[in-house]
Amino acid sequence: MPFFNTYFGSFSDWINTRWKRWRHRHAPKLTKQYWQSLTPQGWLRLLAKAFLYVLLLLFLFYLSVYFGVFGWLPTKRQLKEVQNNMPSEVYTADGVLMGRYFIQDRTNIKYDQIAEPVIQALIATEDARFYEHDGVDNRSLARVFFKTLLLQEESSGGGSTISQQLAKNLYPRKSIGFLSMPVNKMREMILAKRLEAVYNKQEILELYLNTVPMGGNVYGIESAARRFFNTSADSLKTEEAATLIGMLKATTTYNPRTNPDRSKQRRNVVLAQMTKYGYLTQDQKTVLQGKPLKLDYNLYSHNSGLATYFREHLREELTKWAALQEKPDGGNYNLYTDGLKIYTTLDSRAQRAAETALKRRMYDLQVSFDKHWGKKAPWTGQPAILKNAKERSLHYKRLVAQGKSEREIDEIFNTPVPMRLFRWSGEQTRTLSPMDSIRHYMRYLNAGFLAMEPRTGYVRAWVGGINHTFFKYDHVRAKRQAGSTFKPFVFAAAMERGISPCSYFPNDRRVFPEYENWSPRNSDEVYGGAYSMQGALAKSVNTVAVNAALQVGLPDVIKVAKNLGLQSEMPSTPALALGTADASLYEMVAAYASFANGGYQVKPRYLLRIEDRNGRVLLDQTNQDGLGPKVLSSQTTALMRPMLESVINDGTGRRLRSEYNLQMDIAGKTGTTQSHADGWFVAFTPDLVAGAWVGGQDQRIRFRDLELGGGSNTALPIWAGFFQRLTKERDFRRLANSRFPALPAHYAMYLNCPPFQPPVPVEPVYEEEDRGIEDIFKKGGRKLKDLFKRKDKKKNKDRDWQRDLEEELDKRGRGNGRGRGRD
């Protein structure tokens, strides 16, 4: 500023001075007489100056865009390394794509994976001189200037080449006011030139067809082929390729699903263009234009495809993992954009078998449930069920967060709105209030299923519910009361304490005053006598399980359950023996795996390997050992297996043999919680351990009798259906007749006892006045007494056998199994 003050007084004075000089110099040119006096030569000089000024302005404009005045432009090196957003893909162990995590639904493919008609249709329609220009087609630009701009002929076509469109796809246009269009066009021309210098023509076509938007959230020819025709890009027919390329002009207007007539017209235009440039003959064009528009629409979402519940569980885990992994460029990985390849332990055939078995059983069970309740609602007399469901809903929580009053929330929940509803017969659109929607969904039973290998921990099938679109809660990880599936832990704890499997526990009903007079009941209401561990498991006798738990000691039972993988807090009460502790299917299947693998703790494993988009391994857990520490002795697990086999062969799981005709060796346990709220079945074969759970969203929604609501009727058929379907697969047929190893003789002796001992008859005591009758039948009475004595001797013999065995075990320091229980 001192410079201007020195020479011009002030900056404003300098501006005024310069303006006055310009006016004085050019004032004559601003008059009408000056323009009238111009000669032709003068006009030519004036136009030449104007043209030079325009060229100068264009050159300056070009330089400003080129050097990033209006925004950064990638260099050739950066263009060479360009990577568009790619979804991460999840694969099964047998190489089947289960699903993708994406923001943009896109699958990159190579040039040779694209059908030739796609390339031909693209060039004929979008850039007929593609192989002749270097990114910018000057002839097309001239055509646009004269025909489109000056003559307003809209049919003359656009001037953007495929390379320019690729630049737009890679670097979307930005809004910078009134200069947006010229700046964006200039940017695309510059980038097109750079792309042509970096990539050859095939690579540009490959990049373009992988990045082009195809409507909605679909990007690239491969995703579009799968979406609209349920095929791959290399298998597209000519008419299908023309349909997809035709969409590029306006993806909404020419969408073949929502606007089939317009799409067909546009398809025929593309076919005509292909004929014009020699890719089709006239006869071929006529035949193809006459074909109807046939779609095989395949809407893919995160709620569709294979193993949806598992993929959601994996998504939550991998999102956190990726954010902590550093990429070569210093950034962190993004699960949705970095194109990771995720390989899991799931088997597609096992997963399909599990999903089919669960859905078919749940459909039949829902029909039975609805018939069971009839017109009566399952929550009749319990209004709190609906109130609690409403308060648990995400809609309610959002309204509370917005500061809505209860009165306002009630009004919203009772206002009908259009909504989609789940039905086993198919989705429906109805107008219902949110409260009606809650009533609708509270009627549905749900289920979970998990199958894994007991020695490796590899999860082979994971089904978290009946429909991931409408029921998001994953019942593989959900915790519910374990019911009678907990009883094997009680008897395992007993054997770990040294109590013999042939120890007999009384089947006596007891009352526990210290626990509010709680008294365990048997489902058949039969009491008396005593059961061995094997007999008690096979018949699922509640009183015996409680008596055994008290004799072992509840702390020891809890310790065994914790060691096997159950994580919830467990009540130190006698009811624990009946499965009042909460456990997830995930935990229960892993716990039973320890019975199958020799007593080793095993954690379910489902993630094998992760690679980046270039095949670089980021995580590899393929060769890791799945077994943890040994938590049960080999003797305990060896004896538990035949005890659990008796459940299948002679007990509550015998339907697997009689009804489902499964012939492989099976060991497992059914489970039913109080009032039939939860149905369980967990069992293992020589190769797999699997579990199923069935119940309502609320534990108060259930069947009203054991025959319908028990685990043998709800959960067991899912398990059976899974193995029926799986063993029909060629690679799994060997499972149909798989056998456990024979039980060693020195272990078998511990199970060589009757499963049940009936009560010992008490000899009748006669009163004095009855002796006359006894004298009359003296001879017969003597024979009767002898008969009783013989029976008593036999029973005493049985008891002596039991006593001898227990004394022998006692000498070994292993306990006698008949002592008093302790808490």
Side-chain angles (χ1 to χ4, degrees), residues 1 3-5 7-24:
M1 192 60 68
F3 173 82
F4 289 103
N5 290 335
Y7 292 96
F8 301 103
S10 68
F11 180 70
S12 59
D13 291 340
W14 180 81
I15 294 294
N16 289 331
T17 302
R18 301 301 297 177
W19 171 244
K20 288 178 180 178
R21 288 181 181 178
W22 188 90
R23 288 186 61 188
H24 177 74

Side-chain angles (χ1 to χ4, degrees), residues 443-660:
R443 291 179 175 270
Y444 279 90
L445 297 176
N446 221 305
F449 181 87
L450 182 71
M452 60 179 275
E453 293 179 355
R455 291 170 184 82
T456 62
Y458 285 176
V459 173
R460 295 306 189 188
W462 177 313
V463 189
I466 58 176
N467 186 294
H468 192 256
T469 301
F470 297 95
F471 301 92
K472 300 293 187 185
Y473 199 54
D474 188 347
H475 292 286
V476 168
R477 299 307 300 263
K479 291 181 181 289
R480 298 288 284 255
Q481 287 190 349
S484 294
T485 54
F486 190 89
K487 290 175 182 175
F489 308 151
V490 173
F491 294 114
M495 286 188 283
E496 289 292 284
R497 281 286 308 276
I499 300 176
S500 167
C502 278
S503 298
Y504 286 89
F505 299 91
N507 180 29
D508 297 333
R509 188 173 180 188
R510 299 172 58 184
V511 176
F512 297 89
E514 64 272 34
Y515 299 107
E516 300 180 355
N517 290 324
W518 177 75
S519 179
R521 298 170 56 183
N522 293 332
S523 60
D524 58 5
E525 293 289 355
V526 176
Y527 306 95
Y531 283 90
S532 68
M533 294 186 191
Q534 187 167 353
L537 268 180
K539 303 301 181 184
S540 198
V541 185
N542 290 340
T543 53
V544 172
V546 172
N547 290 332
L550 292 175
Q551 184 167 315
V552 173
L554 294 176
D556 284 1
V557 173
I558 293 173
K559 180 181 178 181
V560 166
K562 291 283 188 181
N563 287 342
L564 290 173
L566 273 67
Q567 299 175 355
S568 299
E569 289 298 319
M570 299 184 194
S572 187
T573 64
L576 174 66
L578 307 185
T580 54
D582 289 337
S584 67
L585 196 58
Y586 186 87
E587 295 169 341
M588 292 301 292
V589 170
Y592 273 63
S594 297
F595 293 142
N597 65 26
Y600 291 92
Q601 190 183 75
V602 60
K603 184 178 180 181
R605 301 171 61 204
Y606 41 79
L607 184 59
L608 290 178
R609 192 173 76 260
I610 301 177
E611 299 175 357
D612 66 11
R613 68 171 73 196
N614 298 316
R616 188 169 67 93
V617 177
L618 305 178
L619 177 71
D620 191 352
Q621 301 180 150
T622 306
N623 297 320
Q624 290 187 8
D625 187 4
L627 294 181
K630 194 171 180 64
V631 293
L632 291 177
S633 68
S634 298
Q635 176 170 304
T636 296
T637 55
L639 294 172
M640 279 300 303
R641 193 199 73 207
M643 290 166 60
L644 291 170
E645 282 187 90
S646 67
V647 176
I648 308 303
N649 298 327
D650 305 307
T652 55
R654 57 187 177 274
R655 290 180 67 187
L656 291 179
R657 306 293 192 204
S658 61
E659 184 175 339
Y660 297 101

